[in-house]
Amino acid sequence: MDSFLIHGGTRLKGKIEISGSKNSSLPLMAACLMTDEKTTLRGVPRLSDIDCMIRLLTELGCQIQRHDSSNSSTGGPPLDGPLDIQVTKEVNNEAPYKIVKEMRASICVLGPLLAKRRQAIVSMPGGCAIGDRPIDLHIRGLRKLGVEFRWEKGKIIGEYAGRLKGCRMYLGGAMGPTVLGTINVMCAAALAEGETVLVGAACEPEVIDCANLLNKMGARISGQGTPEIRIEGVDHLAGVEHRVIPDRIECGTFILAAAMTNGELELRNCNLDHLIAVHDMLEDIGIRIERENDTIFVSSNRRLNPIEVTTQPYPGFPTDLQAQLMGLVCLADGMSVITERIFPDRFLHVGELNRLGARIRKDSSTAVIQGVKELSGARVMASDLRASAALVLAGLVAKGKTIIDRVYHIDRGYEKIEQKLNAVGAHIERLEEKDIKDL
Ligand code: EPZ
């Protein structure tokens, strides 16, 4: 397992190219199961989660080819490299436990498989470091379209005869809308008979991106990005080309990194509209952001104000930036309060940030952060994707050296993060855990 050795005291300055969205790429790749023709996705990032989805789609009968990367426009590492996906056989309809346990987002093959093959067998995804990850809303929505489910040895088996039938349904849950649940039901409805209306649908940009891909393929979807999505079922979907939207969470992470280090970053391939709540909050804490088309200029040269934030479904402040924001406000001038409404247990980063000298107290799904003058380097452990990003940001500003163990977590969702950060002034070394000497 690799670790990062980070020499703190960096002011980030320079240009970073944002990669394509991980959380959009995964459902887009799954949607390619719904056509017999070749689909080309551009801007799919090189991440371990994407590799996992490539393995899964290969098991499900797809041939997948990744073309070479093009040089980055910022002098950073080469990114992109189009991905060609084509179904060549439809004999295996099972997403096996060995893959699903590695990446619970494998669940996003459920809707496409049912739509195209009338059968899907997916291992129950189980929980993860950020909490229980139920799929009851996925099942409820697909059942309303006519899918019959049964459970066997930890697997969900969904199947039906004939054709799914569209209907009007409410898809929200106690914790609000479901992103992948909305996408799963939207995919299934795209090839169903008649009209489906999803009320209480998720509004995230990743839902919009998937609906836009399906429409390019021949689907008839409207209302994506609003809580009510209409889908007029069609008989056939074609293979097309599509560019993935920029990764708003990677972009938000680097915005916070610039703020934390009192740096100046020029971020390319961004869509600030996808970060409206973050943009609004950043101005309150004293971070300047300017925008020129798909480029963002972010800088800060002062101690930041404390903030009160609650994570919410889109367009609210995203839960996937909660840990990184907590890292930032560890150094704010006063007391901040962060409440987690989507995954109430998503606080494994608190203990690790406190090891770096932060003063954070957690009480149920709320954390109170008393700003300190500085953090100091220590050995810490990554626990999940976004918590590990928060630890990298903290390591950049902590005095002395910080070691972060188990950085495989960060490789799931941040393409070449140490190359991108080192190109703008960071000093991060990736070492095998056995080569790391204790601090
Ligand atoms: C997506 O997960 C993202 N993952 C998550 O990003 C993100 O945190 C989450 O949306 C919320 O924005 C991908 O897109 C691959 P949900 P998803 O269904 O769709 C509850 C990251 O770090 N719920 O929108 O699985 C659930 O427990 C990852 O990149 C049910 O109760 O999340 C949660 O409280 C982490 N029943 C809330 O809804 C269900 O059937 C939102 O979950 C489904 C969800």
Side-chain angles (χ1 to χ4, degrees), residues 196-220:
T196 299
V197 179
L198 305 183
V199 180
C203 303
E204 271 71 2
E206 294 75 33
V207 175
I208 300 174
D209 203 21
C210 191
N212 292 345
L213 168 69
L214 291 170
N215 281 343
K216 270 189 196 169
M217 294 167 82
R220 292 168 58 194

PDB file of all heavy atoms in Angstrom, residues 196-220:
ATOM      1  N   THR A 196     -42.729   7.757 -18.255  1.00  0.00           N
ATOM      2  CA  THR A 196     -42.400   7.662 -16.821  1.00  0.00           C
ATOM      3  C   THR A 196     -42.135   9.073 -16.323  1.00  0.00           C
ATOM      4  O   THR A 196     -41.484   9.864 -17.006  1.00  0.00           O
ATOM      5  CB  THR A 196     -41.151   6.786 -16.607  1.00  0.00           C
ATOM      6  OG1 THR A 196     -41.422   5.477 -17.086  1.00  0.00           O
ATOM      7  CG2 THR A 196     -40.762   6.728 -15.125  1.00  0.00           C
ATOM      8  N   VAL A 197     -42.679   9.393 -15.147  1.00  0.00           N
ATOM      9  CA  VAL A 197     -42.376  10.676 -14.509  1.00  0.00           C
ATOM     10  C   VAL A 197     -41.759  10.390 -13.146  1.00  0.00           C
ATOM     11  O   VAL A 197     -42.363   9.714 -12.315  1.00  0.00           O
ATOM     12  CB  VAL A 197     -43.649  11.533 -14.348  1.00  0.00           C
ATOM     13  CG1 VAL A 197     -43.302  12.860 -13.663  1.00  0.00           C
ATOM     14  CG2 VAL A 197     -44.304  11.783 -15.703  1.00  0.00           C
ATOM     15  N   LEU A 198     -40.527  10.857 -12.957  1.00  0.00           N
ATOM     16  CA  LEU A 198     -39.841  10.664 -11.666  1.00  0.00           C
ATOM     17  C   LEU A 198     -40.009  11.951 -10.857  1.00  0.00           C
ATOM     18  O   LEU A 198     -39.438  12.985 -11.210  1.00  0.00           O
ATOM     19  CB  LEU A 198     -38.362  10.381 -11.882  1.00  0.00           C
ATOM     20  CG  LEU A 198     -37.987   9.214 -12.807  1.00  0.00           C
ATOM     21  CD1 LEU A 198     -36.464   9.038 -12.852  1.00  0.00           C
ATOM     22  CD2 LEU A 198     -38.667   7.934 -12.371  1.00  0.00           C
ATOM     23  N   VAL A 199     -40.779  11.868  -9.789  1.00  0.00           N
ATOM     24  CA  VAL A 199     -40.960  13.032  -8.912  1.00  0.00           C
ATOM     25  C   VAL A 199     -40.040  12.842  -7.693  1.00  0.00           C
ATOM     26  O   VAL A 199     -39.916  11.739  -7.175  1.00  0.00           O
ATOM     27  CB  VAL A 199     -42.432  13.135  -8.445  1.00  0.00           C
ATOM     28  CG1 VAL A 199     -42.634  14.343  -7.539  1.00  0.00           C
ATOM     29  CG2 VAL A 199     -43.353  13.229  -9.666  1.00  0.00           C
ATOM     30  N   GLY A 200     -39.364  13.933  -7.290  1.00  0.00           N
ATOM     31  CA  GLY A 200     -38.392  13.775  -6.201  1.00  0.00           C
ATOM     32  C   GLY A 200     -37.076  13.239  -6.730  1.00  0.00           C
ATOM     33  O   GLY A 200     -36.295  12.627  -6.017  1.00  0.00           O
ATOM     34  N   ALA A 201     -36.813  13.508  -8.029  1.00  0.00           N
ATOM     35  CA  ALA A 201     -35.563  13.038  -8.655  1.00  0.00           C
ATOM     36  C   ALA A 201     -34.387  13.882  -8.162  1.00  0.00           C
ATOM     37  O   ALA A 201     -34.566  15.046  -7.786  1.00  0.00           O
ATOM     38  CB  ALA A 201     -35.685  13.160 -10.182  1.00  0.00           C
ATOM     39  N   ALA A 202     -33.187  13.300  -8.205  1.00  0.00           N
ATOM     40  CA  ALA A 202     -31.973  14.051  -7.852  1.00  0.00           C
ATOM     41  C   ALA A 202     -31.677  15.051  -8.982  1.00  0.00           C
ATOM     42  O   ALA A 202     -31.978  14.781 -10.148  1.00  0.00           O
ATOM     43  CB  ALA A 202     -30.799  13.095  -7.676  1.00  0.00           C
ATOM     44  N   CYS A 203     -31.112  16.202  -8.632  1.00  0.00           N
ATOM     45  CA  CYS A 203     -30.873  17.282  -9.612  1.00  0.00           C
ATOM     46  C   CYS A 203     -29.396  17.456  -9.938  1.00  0.00           C
ATOM     47  O   CYS A 203     -29.016  18.398 -10.633  1.00  0.00           O
ATOM     48  CB  CYS A 203     -31.412  18.594  -9.054  1.00  0.00           C
ATOM     49  SG  CYS A 203     -33.148  18.528  -8.619  1.00  0.00           S
ATOM     50  N   GLU A 204     -28.552  16.559  -9.417  1.00  0.00           N
ATOM     51  CA  GLU A 204     -27.104  16.720  -9.592  1.00  0.00           C
ATOM     52  C   GLU A 204     -26.697  16.820 -11.059  1.00  0.00           C
ATOM     53  O   GLU A 204     -27.339  16.196 -11.931  1.00  0.00           O
ATOM     54  CB  GLU A 204     -26.386  15.536  -8.933  1.00  0.00           C
ATOM     55  CG  GLU A 204     -26.039  15.712  -7.454  1.00  0.00           C
ATOM     56  CD  GLU A 204     -27.246  15.682  -6.512  1.00  0.00           C
ATOM     57  OE1 GLU A 204     -28.390  15.474  -6.994  1.00  0.00           O
ATOM     58  OE2 GLU A 204     -27.048  15.847  -5.313  1.00  0.00           O
ATOM     59  N   PRO A 205     -25.609  17.535 -11.370  1.00  0.00           N
ATOM     60  CA  PRO A 205     -25.107  17.633 -12.757  1.00  0.00           C
ATOM     61  C   PRO A 205     -24.819  16.259 -13.376  1.00  0.00           C
ATOM     62  O   PRO A 205     -24.938  16.075 -14.582  1.00  0.00           O
ATOM     63  CB  PRO A 205     -23.818  18.441 -12.589  1.00  0.00           C
ATOM     64  CG  PRO A 205     -24.025  19.242 -11.349  1.00  0.00           C
ATOM     65  CD  PRO A 205     -24.861  18.392 -10.446  1.00  0.00           C
ATOM     66  N   GLU A 206     -24.478  15.279 -12.536  1.00  0.00           N
ATOM     67  CA  GLU A 206     -24.183  13.935 -13.057  1.00  0.00           C
ATOM     68  C   GLU A 206     -25.453  13.274 -13.593  1.00  0.00           C
ATOM     69  O   GLU A 206     -25.400  12.499 -14.546  1.00  0.00           O
ATOM     70  CB  GLU A 206     -23.573  13.071 -11.941  1.00  0.00           C
ATOM     71  CG  GLU A 206     -22.186  13.539 -11.461  1.00  0.00           C
ATOM     72  CD  GLU A 206     -22.238  14.783 -10.583  1.00  0.00           C
ATOM     73  OE1 GLU A 206     -23.212  14.958  -9.838  1.00  0.00           O
ATOM     74  OE2 GLU A 206     -21.298  15.606 -10.671  1.00  0.00           O
ATOM     75  N   VAL A 207     -26.614  13.606 -13.004  1.00  0.00           N
ATOM     76  CA  VAL A 207     -27.887  13.096 -13.529  1.00  0.00           C
ATOM     77  C   VAL A 207     -28.154  13.741 -14.887  1.00  0.00           C
ATOM     78  O   VAL A 207     -28.536  13.069 -15.855  1.00  0.00           O
ATOM     79  CB  VAL A 207     -29.038  13.420 -12.548  1.00  0.00           C
ATOM     80  CG1 VAL A 207     -30.389  13.006 -13.145  1.00  0.00           C
ATOM     81  CG2 VAL A 207     -28.826  12.723 -11.211  1.00  0.00           C
ATOM     82  N   ILE A 208     -27.914  15.040 -14.985  1.00  0.00           N
ATOM     83  CA  ILE A 208     -28.111  15.770 -16.247  1.00  0.00           C
ATOM     84  C   ILE A 208     -27.211  15.191 -17.333  1.00  0.00           C
ATOM     85  O   ILE A 208     -27.646  14.929 -18.460  1.00  0.00           O
ATOM     86  CB  ILE A 208     -27.806  17.276 -16.064  1.00  0.00           C
ATOM     87  CG1 ILE A 208     -28.730  17.899 -15.014  1.00  0.00           C
ATOM     88  CG2 ILE A 208     -27.919  18.005 -17.402  1.00  0.00           C
ATOM     89  CD1 ILE A 208     -28.396  19.340 -14.660  1.00  0.00           C
ATOM     90  N   ASP A 209     -25.958  14.928 -16.970  1.00  0.00           N
ATOM     91  CA  ASP A 209     -24.983  14.431 -17.969  1.00  0.00           C
ATOM     92  C   ASP A 209     -25.434  13.088 -18.524  1.00  0.00           C
ATOM     93  O   ASP A 209     -25.370  12.834 -19.727  1.00  0.00           O
ATOM     94  CB  ASP A 209     -23.598  14.313 -17.311  1.00  0.00           C
ATOM     95  CG  ASP A 209     -22.467  14.359 -18.342  1.00  0.00           C
ATOM     96  OD1 ASP A 209     -22.705  14.876 -19.461  1.00  0.00           O
ATOM     97  OD2 ASP A 209     -21.372  13.859 -18.054  1.00  0.00           O
ATOM     98  N   CYS A 210     -25.936  12.224 -17.621  1.00  0.00           N
ATOM     99  CA  CYS A 210     -26.379  10.894 -18.079  1.00  0.00           C
ATOM    100  C   CYS A 210     -27.625  11.023 -18.947  1.00  0.00           C
ATOM    101  O   CYS A 210     -27.738  10.373 -20.001  1.00  0.00           O
ATOM    102  CB  CYS A 210     -26.655   9.986 -16.878  1.00  0.00           C
ATOM    103  SG  CYS A 210     -26.891   8.264 -17.362  1.00  0.00           S
ATOM    104  N   ALA A 211     -28.548  11.898 -18.568  1.00  0.00           N
ATOM    105  CA  ALA A 211     -29.757  12.104 -19.386  1.00  0.00           C
ATOM    106  C   ALA A 211     -29.370  12.647 -20.763  1.00  0.00           C
ATOM    107  O   ALA A 211     -29.925  12.228 -21.789  1.00  0.00           O
ATOM    108  CB  ALA A 211     -30.707  13.074 -18.674  1.00  0.00           C
ATOM    109  N   ASN A 212     -28.378  13.524 -20.785  1.00  0.00           N
ATOM    110  CA  ASN A 212     -27.938  14.092 -22.073  1.00  0.00           C
ATOM    111  C   ASN A 212     -27.301  13.019 -22.959  1.00  0.00           C
ATOM    112  O   ASN A 212     -27.530  12.989 -24.175  1.00  0.00           O
ATOM    113  CB  ASN A 212     -26.962  15.250 -21.841  1.00  0.00           C
ATOM    114  CG  ASN A 212     -27.644  16.457 -21.208  1.00  0.00           C
ATOM    115  OD1 ASN A 212     -28.880  16.543 -21.190  1.00  0.00           O
ATOM    116  ND2 ASN A 212     -26.858  17.371 -20.648  1.00  0.00           N
ATOM    117  N   LEU A 213     -26.530  12.114 -22.347  1.00  0.00           N
ATOM    118  CA  LEU A 213     -25.969  11.014 -23.140  1.00  0.00           C
ATOM    119  C   LEU A 213     -27.092  10.153 -23.695  1.00  0.00           C
ATOM    120  O   LEU A 213     -27.141   9.843 -24.893  1.00  0.00           O
ATOM    121  CB  LEU A 213     -25.030  10.145 -22.294  1.00  0.00           C
ATOM    122  CG  LEU A 213     -24.628   8.807 -22.950  1.00  0.00           C
ATOM    123  CD1 LEU A 213     -23.710   9.028 -24.148  1.00  0.00           C
ATOM    124  CD2 LEU A 213     -23.977   7.865 -21.944  1.00  0.00           C
ATOM    125  N   LEU A 214     -28.050   9.781 -22.839  1.00  0.00           N
ATOM    126  CA  LEU A 214     -29.159   8.922 -23.287  1.00  0.00           C
ATOM    127  C   LEU A 214     -29.943   9.603 -24.412  1.00  0.00           C
ATOM    128  O   LEU A 214     -30.301   8.971 -25.413  1.00  0.00           O
ATOM    129  CB  LEU A 214     -30.081   8.595 -22.109  1.00  0.00           C
ATOM    130  CG  LEU A 214     -29.487   7.666 -21.037  1.00  0.00           C
ATOM    131  CD1 LEU A 214     -30.398   7.606 -19.803  1.00  0.00           C
ATOM    132  CD2 LEU A 214     -29.261   6.259 -21.589  1.00  0.00           C
ATOM    133  N   ASN A 215     -30.165  10.908 -24.293  1.00  0.00           N
ATOM    134  CA  ASN A 215     -30.889  11.609 -25.373  1.00  0.00           C
ATOM    135  C   ASN A 215     -30.113  11.594 -26.682  1.00  0.00           C
ATOM    136  O   ASN A 215     -30.686  11.405 -27.760  1.00  0.00           O
ATOM    137  CB  ASN A 215     -31.205  13.053 -24.953  1.00  0.00           C
ATOM    138  CG  ASN A 215     -32.409  13.140 -24.012  1.00  0.00           C
ATOM    139  OD1 ASN A 215     -33.196  12.183 -23.916  1.00  0.00           O
ATOM    140  ND2 ASN A 215     -32.528  14.248 -23.302  1.00  0.00           N
ATOM    141  N   LYS A 216     -28.779  11.731 -26.588  1.00  0.00           N
ATOM    142  CA  LYS A 216     -27.947  11.637 -27.802  1.00  0.00           C
ATOM    143  C   LYS A 216     -28.115  10.247 -28.427  1.00  0.00           C
ATOM    144  O   LYS A 216     -28.097  10.081 -29.642  1.00  0.00           O
ATOM    145  CB  LYS A 216     -26.467  11.804 -27.445  1.00  0.00           C
ATOM    146  CG  LYS A 216     -25.940  13.218 -27.469  1.00  0.00           C
ATOM    147  CD  LYS A 216     -24.407  13.180 -27.303  1.00  0.00           C
ATOM    148  CE  LYS A 216     -23.869  14.538 -26.931  1.00  0.00           C
ATOM    149  NZ  LYS A 216     -22.452  14.466 -26.521  1.00  0.00           N
ATOM    150  N   MET A 217     -28.292   9.237 -27.566  1.00  0.00           N
ATOM    151  CA  MET A 217     -28.402   7.840 -28.046  1.00  0.00           C
ATOM    152  C   MET A 217     -29.793   7.577 -28.623  1.00  0.00           C
ATOM    153  O   MET A 217     -30.036   6.531 -29.221  1.00  0.00           O
ATOM    154  CB  MET A 217     -28.117   6.872 -26.888  1.00  0.00           C
ATOM    155  CG  MET A 217     -26.685   6.921 -26.364  1.00  0.00           C
ATOM    156  SD  MET A 217     -26.482   6.055 -24.756  1.00  0.00           S
ATOM    157  CE  MET A 217     -26.331   4.357 -25.311  1.00  0.00           C
ATOM    158  N   GLY A 218     -30.728   8.531 -28.411  1.00  0.00           N
ATOM    159  CA  GLY A 218     -32.071   8.344 -28.973  1.00  0.00           C
ATOM    160  C   GLY A 218     -33.177   8.321 -27.940  1.00  0.00           C
ATOM    161  O   GLY A 218     -34.354   8.198 -28.277  1.00  0.00           O
ATOM    162  N   ALA A 219     -32.827   8.493 -26.683  1.00  0.00           N
ATOM    163  CA  ALA A 219     -33.865   8.505 -25.631  1.00  0.00           C
ATOM    164  C   ALA A 219     -34.619   9.832 -25.697  1.00  0.00           C
ATOM    165  O   ALA A 219     -34.210  10.770 -26.389  1.00  0.00           O
ATOM    166  CB  ALA A 219     -33.233   8.341 -24.252  1.00  0.00           C
ATOM    167  N   ARG A 220     -35.767   9.871 -24.985  1.00  0.00           N
ATOM    168  CA  ARG A 220     -36.555  11.112 -24.977  1.00  0.00           C
ATOM    169  C   ARG A 220     -36.831  11.508 -23.525  1.00  0.00           C
ATOM    170  O   ARG A 220     -37.815  11.116 -22.930  1.00  0.00           O
ATOM    171  CB  ARG A 220     -37.848  10.887 -25.761  1.00  0.00           C
ATOM    172  CG  ARG A 220     -37.525  10.687 -27.260  1.00  0.00           C
ATOM    173  CD  ARG A 220     -38.692  10.176 -28.062  1.00  0.00           C
ATOM    174  NE  ARG A 220     -39.841  11.078 -27.959  1.00  0.00           N
ATOM    175  CZ  ARG A 220     -41.068  10.705 -28.351  1.00  0.00           C
ATOM    176  NH1 ARG A 220     -41.256   9.482 -28.797  1.00  0.00           N
ATOM    177  NH2 ARG A 220     -42.087  11.536 -28.261  1.00  0.00           N
TER     178      ARG A 220
END
